[in-house]
C-alpha cells in the first residue's frame, strides 16, 4: 500500500470543513441553527444569557443571618421614601398656606406640581438607577442616594418661595429617593431565595406602616413648629436611611473572589472593569422574548397611571365635599 501524500495545513483544514455533512441521528444540533419558538425555550435561552460566564459560581443566599438586618434596612427605606410621598396631601396643604392662598387656583396648581414632580422623578429614574446598581453595587448606590435625598430635603427647608421647591424637593430629593429605593429591592434577592416572598412582604409592609403613621406626625409637627422645621425633622429619616445603606453588604460570588478580597485584590473595586462593560450588558432586550414578562412590564406602568391619584386629590376633594354640606 502506498501512503497518500500529506496535504498542507490549509488544504487539510479546507477538506475537513468540506467533508462535514449531516451528523448522525440523535446528535445535538449546532447552536443557533435550531428554531425554538416555544415560551419555555425562550425562557431557558434568556436564563442562559443572563447567567453570566461559564464556570462562574453563583452566590448562595444565606437565608438569614446578616440578611435579617438587610431586611430591616430595606423596610426602613420603603417606609421612609413612600411614607413621605404618600403623605404629600398634608405637606401640600401646608405649602399652600405657607406660600400662597387656597383660594388662588394658580397657586394651587403650582403647589401641586411639587409633589407630582417628586413622585414622577422617583419612578422616572428607576431605569438609570438599575444600571448604576449593576455597575457600582447596592451599597454605594443606596448610600449616595440617601445622601442626595438628605441634601435635597434639607435645602427645601430654607426656600422662600414655591419655585425653588421644584429643584430641591421635586428633583434632588426625588432622585436621591430613587437611588436609595431601587437597591433595597435588588439586595433582598442576594440574601434570600426560599424566604424571599416572606421578606418582600415584610419590607413592603414598612411603607404601609409609615403611610398610616406619618400623617399624624406631620400634622402635629406642622401645627407646632411649621413647615420648614417639619422638613428638617424628616431629614432624620433620610439620615437613618443613609446609615441603613451600609447594611447592604455584597456577597462574594466565589471562593476566588473571597480570597482576592482578603488579599486586597478587590481594593480598587470602585474602578472595576464592570464600569466599562458594553451597553448590551445593561440593556439586554432578550428578556422581552418571554411573553409573561412582557405583559407584566407593560401592565405595571399602565396600572400606576391611576395609582397615586387618590393621594394627591383626596384632601382637596374631601374639603370640597365638606363645603357642599
Amino acid at each position: 500500500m502506498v501512503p497518500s501524500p500529506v496535504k498542507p495545513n490549509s488544504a487539510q483544514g479546507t477538506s475537513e470543513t468540506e467533508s462535514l455533512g449531516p451528523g448522525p441521528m440523535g446528535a445535538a444540533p449546532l447552536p443557533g441553527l435550531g428554531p425554538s419558538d416555544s415560551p419555555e425555550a425562550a425562557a431557558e435561552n434568556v436564563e442562559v444569557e443572563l447567567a453570566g460566564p461559564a464556570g462562574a459560581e453563583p452566590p448562595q443566599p444565606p437565608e438569614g443571618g446578616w440578611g435579617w438586618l438587610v431586611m430591616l434596612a430595606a423596610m426602613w427605606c420603603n417606609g421612609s421614601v413612600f411614607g413621605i410621598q404618600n403623605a404629600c396631601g398634608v405637606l401640600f396643604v401646608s405649602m399652600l398656606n405657607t406660600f400662597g392662598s387656597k383660594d388662588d387656583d394658580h397657586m394651587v396648581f403650582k403647589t401641586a406640581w411639587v409633589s407630582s414632580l417628586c413622585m414622577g422623578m422617583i419612578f422616572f429614574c428607576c431605569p438609570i438607577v438599575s444600571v448604576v446598581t449593576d455597575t457600582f453595587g447596592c451599597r454605594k448606590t443606596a448610600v449616595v442616594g440617601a445622601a442626595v435625598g438628605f441634601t435635597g430635603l434639607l435645602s427645601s427647608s430654607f426656600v422662600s418661595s414655591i419655585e425653588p421647591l421644584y429643584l430641591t424637593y421635586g428633583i434632588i430629593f426625588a432622585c436621591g429617593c430613587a437611588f436609595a429605593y431601587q437597591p433595597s429591592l435588588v439586595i433582598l434577592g442576594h440574601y434570600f431565595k426560599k424566604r424571599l416572598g416572606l421578606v418582600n412582604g415584610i419590607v413592603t409592609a414598612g411603607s404601609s406602616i409609615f403611610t398610616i403613621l406619618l400623617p399624624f406626625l406631620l400634622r402635629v409637627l406642622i401645627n407646632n413648629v411649621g413647615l420648614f422645621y417639619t422638613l428638617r425633622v424628616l431629614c432624620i429619616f433620610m439620615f437613618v436611611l443613609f446609615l441603613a445603606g451600609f447594611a447592604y453588604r455584597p456577597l462574594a460570588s466565589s471562593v476566588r473572589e473571597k480570597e482576592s478580597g482578603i488579599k486586597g485584590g478587590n481594593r480598587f473595586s470602585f474602578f472595576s472593569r464592570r464600569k466599562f462593560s458594553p451597553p448590551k450588558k445593561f440593556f439586554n432586550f432578550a428578556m422581552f422574548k418571554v411573553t409573561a414578562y412582557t405583559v407584566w412590564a407593560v401592565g405595571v406602568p399602565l396600572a400606576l397611571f391611576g395609582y397615586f391619584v387618590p393621594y394627591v386629590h383626596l384632601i382637596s376633594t374631601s374639603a370640597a365635599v365638606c363645603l357642599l354640606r
Side-chain angles (χ1 to χ4, degrees):
M1 177 185 293
V2 181
S4 60
V6 179
K7 298 181 181 180
N9 292 335
S10 59
Q12 183 178 0
T14 306
S15 63
E16 290 178 358
T17 305
E18 294 175 353
S19 63
L20 288 176
M25 297 295 293
L30 292 177
L33 297 180
S36 56
D37 298 330
S38 63
E40 294 79 5
E44 291 178 0
N45 292 336
V46 172
E47 289 181 359
V48 171
E49 290 183 26
L50 300 179
E57 181 184 350
Q60 297 298 324
E63 300 290 345
W66 186 265
W68 296 118
L69 183 60
V70 172
M71 182 198 70
L72 293 177
M75 182 178 178
W76 181 271
C77 175
N78 278 257
S80 299
V81 171
F82 288 104
I84 296 174
Q85 297 303 320
N86 294 340
C88 62
V90 181
L91 295 176
F92 167 76
V93 174
S94 179
M95 290 178 186
L96 192 59
N97 294 332
T98 302
F99 299 110
S101 172
K102 61 182 179 180
D103 298 325
D104 187 355
D105 293 337
H106 182 63
M107 193 63 192
V108 171
F109 174 79
K110 292 173 64 176
T111 306
W113 254 96
V114 177
S115 299
S116 300
L117 181 62
C118 183
M119 185 68 71
M121 285 299 298
I122 289 179
F123 292 100
F124 181 78
C125 292
C126 282
I128 303 174
V129 179
S130 298
V131 175
V132 175
T133 302
D134 289 340
T135 305
F136 299 108
C138 295
R139 175 188 282 178
K140 294 178 182 178
T141 305
V143 169
V144 173
V148 172
F150 175 87
T151 303
L153 194 58
L154 183 63
S155 59
S156 299
S157 65
F158 293 99
V159 301
S160 57
S161 61
I162 195 67
E163 286 80 8
L165 286 176
Y166 295 150
L167 175 63
T168 59
Y169 192 91
I171 296 180
I172 298 178
F173 172 64
C175 290
C177 288
F179 276 78
Y181 165 68
Q182 190 77 1
S184 70
L185 303 179
V186 177
I187 195 65
L188 296 178
H190 295 181
Y191 281 87
F192 297 94
K193 184 176 181 181
K194 296 179 180 179
R195 300 174 177 172
L196 185 58
L198 172 63
V199 171
N200 268 322
I202 296 175
V203 170
T204 307
S207 60
S208 302
I209 296 173
F210 278 64
T211 300
I212 295 172
L213 298 180
L214 263 183
F216 297 101
L217 175 63
L218 292 178
R219 176 55 58 195
V220 172
L221 290 174
I222 290 174
N223 291 338
N224 289 276
V225 298
L227 173 65
F228 297 131
Y229 282 98
T230 299
L231 295 177
R232 293 167 194 171
V233 171
L234 291 178
C235 289
I236 300 176
F237 288 78
M238 299 305 298
F239 180 72
V240 176
L241 180 57
F242 171 79
L243 299 179
F246 287 99
Y248 299 161
R249 185 172 61 188
L251 295 176
S253 60
S254 63
V255 178
R256 181 180 300 178
E257 185 175 338
K258 292 180 182 179
E259 294 176 353
S260 62
I262 295 175
K263 295 178 181 178
N266 201 26
R267 182 178 177 182
F268 302 103
S269 59
F270 188 85
F271 301 99
S272 62
R273 67 182 178 90
R274 289 190 64 189
K275 181 179 178 181
F276 308 102
S277 298
K280 73 175 184 177
K281 295 283 186 178
F282 300 139
F283 304 100
N284 194 333
F285 295 100
M287 295 180 296
F288 290 95
K289 296 178 182 178
V290 183
T291 306
Y293 175 81
T294 304
V295 173
W296 176 84
V298 174
V300 170
L302 292 177
L304 288 177
F305 270 112
Y307 178 78
F308 294 102
V309 171
Y311 294 108
V312 177
H313 298 282
L314 182 60
I315 291 184
S316 59
T317 304
S318 301
V321 171
C322 292
L323 290 177
L324 291 177
R325 291 181 179 178

